[in-house]
């Protein structure tokens, strides 16, 4: 059991907002940011595949270059303490080498591996139908990255660090700019979503949400 109340958790969720203006004088400590990345690493994913990489962009020149194609974070690129692009695996097929390696890391025997691959083949092909083309498969991998994204943002809020999830950019252009850094293999990964972290420069408006009654349906 953990010594944290429901009221404290809800207070953090009310505190967490999409912050678009950061205080440039306040930087996240190395220790605190390592904690945020660890929250992403420990996040769950479908089949336990972990089809992600976390690309932390701190280079000022690179951030400046991204401005022209990143309308959703123009106000943040100069002032955010940390900028992270969460990359998703392009080839998340059940029969890919990485997928099989993930299964082998669980200590499966060859016989168990063959059986597991048949199960996941049916899952991807018939149940969730993501083998139709490269895009559907990439979108499936990208869905997993949003679990890590949410955990990182919520965990950051728990220690008073602000964040903002971002999709407002030219994906093709951003992928090209980032690939030119050679920080990752663009044949293996592509950008799923971005997120900035830092400390708010001013108070943000109280968030608006639909009522629980509007979004909840009970089947008894």
């Amino acid at each position: 059991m953990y010594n944290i109340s429901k009221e404290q958790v809800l207070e953090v969720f009310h505190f967490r907002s999409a912050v678009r203006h950061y205080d440039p004088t306040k930087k996240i400590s190395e220790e605190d940011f390592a904690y945020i990345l660890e929250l992403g690493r420990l996040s769950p994913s479908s089949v336990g595949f972990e089809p992600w990489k976390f690309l932390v962009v701190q280079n000022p020149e690179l951030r400046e270059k991204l401005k022209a194609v990143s309308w959703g974070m123009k106000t943040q690129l100069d002032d955010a303490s940390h900028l992270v692009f969460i990359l998703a695996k392009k080839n998340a097929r059940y029969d890919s080498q990485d997928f099989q390696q993930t299964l082998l890391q669980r200590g499966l025997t060859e016989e168990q591996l063959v059986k597991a691959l048949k199960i996941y083949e049916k899952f991807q092909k018939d149940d969730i139908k993501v083998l139709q083309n490269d895009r559907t498969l990439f979108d499936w991998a990208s869905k997993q990255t949003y679990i890590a994204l949410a955990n990182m943002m919520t965990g950051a809020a728990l220690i008073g660090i602000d964040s903002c999830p971002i999709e407002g950019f030219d994906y093709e252009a951003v992928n090209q700019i980032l690939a030119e850094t050679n920080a990752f293999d663009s044949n293996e990964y592509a950008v799923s979503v971005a997120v900035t972290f830092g400390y708010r420069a001013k108070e943000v408006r109280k968030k608006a949400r639909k009522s629980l009654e509007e979004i909840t349906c009970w089947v008894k």
Side-chain angles (χ1 to χ4, degrees):
M1 295 293 291
Y2 296 95
N3 189 26
I4 183 170
S5 68
K6 295 187 291 292
E7 290 75 19
Q8 288 174 310
V9 173
L10 286 172
E11 184 179 350
V12 169
F13 270 74
H14 282 291
F15 166 79
R16 192 218 60 76
S17 297
V19 170
R20 293 175 173 80
H21 298 277
Y22 294 99
D23 184 340
T25 67
K26 294 182 179 180
K27 301 300 179 184
I28 301 170
S29 71
E30 186 176 327
E31 178 184 356
D32 285 348
F33 197 70
Y35 150 82
I36 292 172
L37 289 175
E38 184 70 354
L39 297 176
R41 187 184 75 86
L42 293 174
S43 296
S45 59
S46 184
V47 195
F49 185 44
E50 304 170 61
W52 50 54
K53 275 190 181 294
F54 306 108
L55 181 63
V56 186
V57 178
Q58 299 300 83
N59 183 285
E61 290 77 17
L62 182 55
R63 285 196 186 189
E64 186 67 29
K65 193 173 183 180
L66 287 164
K67 279 184 184 179
V69 292
S70 304
W71 56 269
M73 59 174 123
K74 277 187 177 180
T75 59
Q76 304 168 47
L77 285 170
D78 288 332
D79 299 337
S81 174
H82 288 68
L83 165 63
V84 181
F85 286 95
I86 305 182
L87 312 177
K89 192 78 175 170
K90 282 186 172 181
N91 180 14
R93 284 180 59 94
Y94 71 94
D95 54 358
S96 69
Q97 185 175 357
D98 283 349
F99 199 101
Q100 293 186 45
Q101 187 61 36
T102 298
L103 297 179
L104 288 172
Q105 287 174 352
R106 301 175 190 173
L108 299 185
T109 64
E110 281 297 324
E111 183 180 353
Q112 290 171 326
L113 176 62
V114 171
K115 188 177 294 186
L117 289 175
K118 286 183 179 179
I119 293 172
Y120 294 133
E121 178 184 11
K122 181 182 182 302
F123 167 65
Q124 287 191 338
K125 183 179 179 181
D126 301 325
D127 298 336
I128 202 167
K129 293 182 171 62
V130 295
L131 298 183
Q132 298 169 345
N133 54 60
D134 291 343
R135 180 66 199 215
T136 54
L137 195 61
F138 177 73
D139 285 347
W140 176 70
S142 292
K143 284 166 61 176
Q144 316 312 314
T145 69
Y146 280 71
I147 302 173
L149 170 70
N151 285 341
M152 292 166 76
M153 292 191 300
T154 301
L158 279 165
I159 60 172
I161 294 174
D162 293 301
S163 60
C164 183
I166 302 158
E167 293 180 324
F169 50 86
D170 181 332
Y171 273 73
E172 184 177 354
V174 166
N175 271 298
Q176 183 176 343
I177 291 170
L178 295 178
E180 290 172 354
T181 67
N182 295 316
F184 65 98
D185 186 346
S186 59
N187 293 316
E188 293 288 329
Y189 290 92
V191 173
S192 172
V193 65
V195 55
T196 53
F197 294 96
Y199 297 93
R200 64 188 66 181
K202 56 184 179 181
E203 284 304 307
V204 296
R205 289 184 299 175
K206 185 178 179 180
K207 65 178 65 176
R209 292 291 187 271
K210 294 178 181 178
S211 70
L212 198 58
E213 290 73 23
E214 289 180 271
I215 62 172
T216 307
C217 179
W218 290 80
V219 180
K220 296 184 178 180

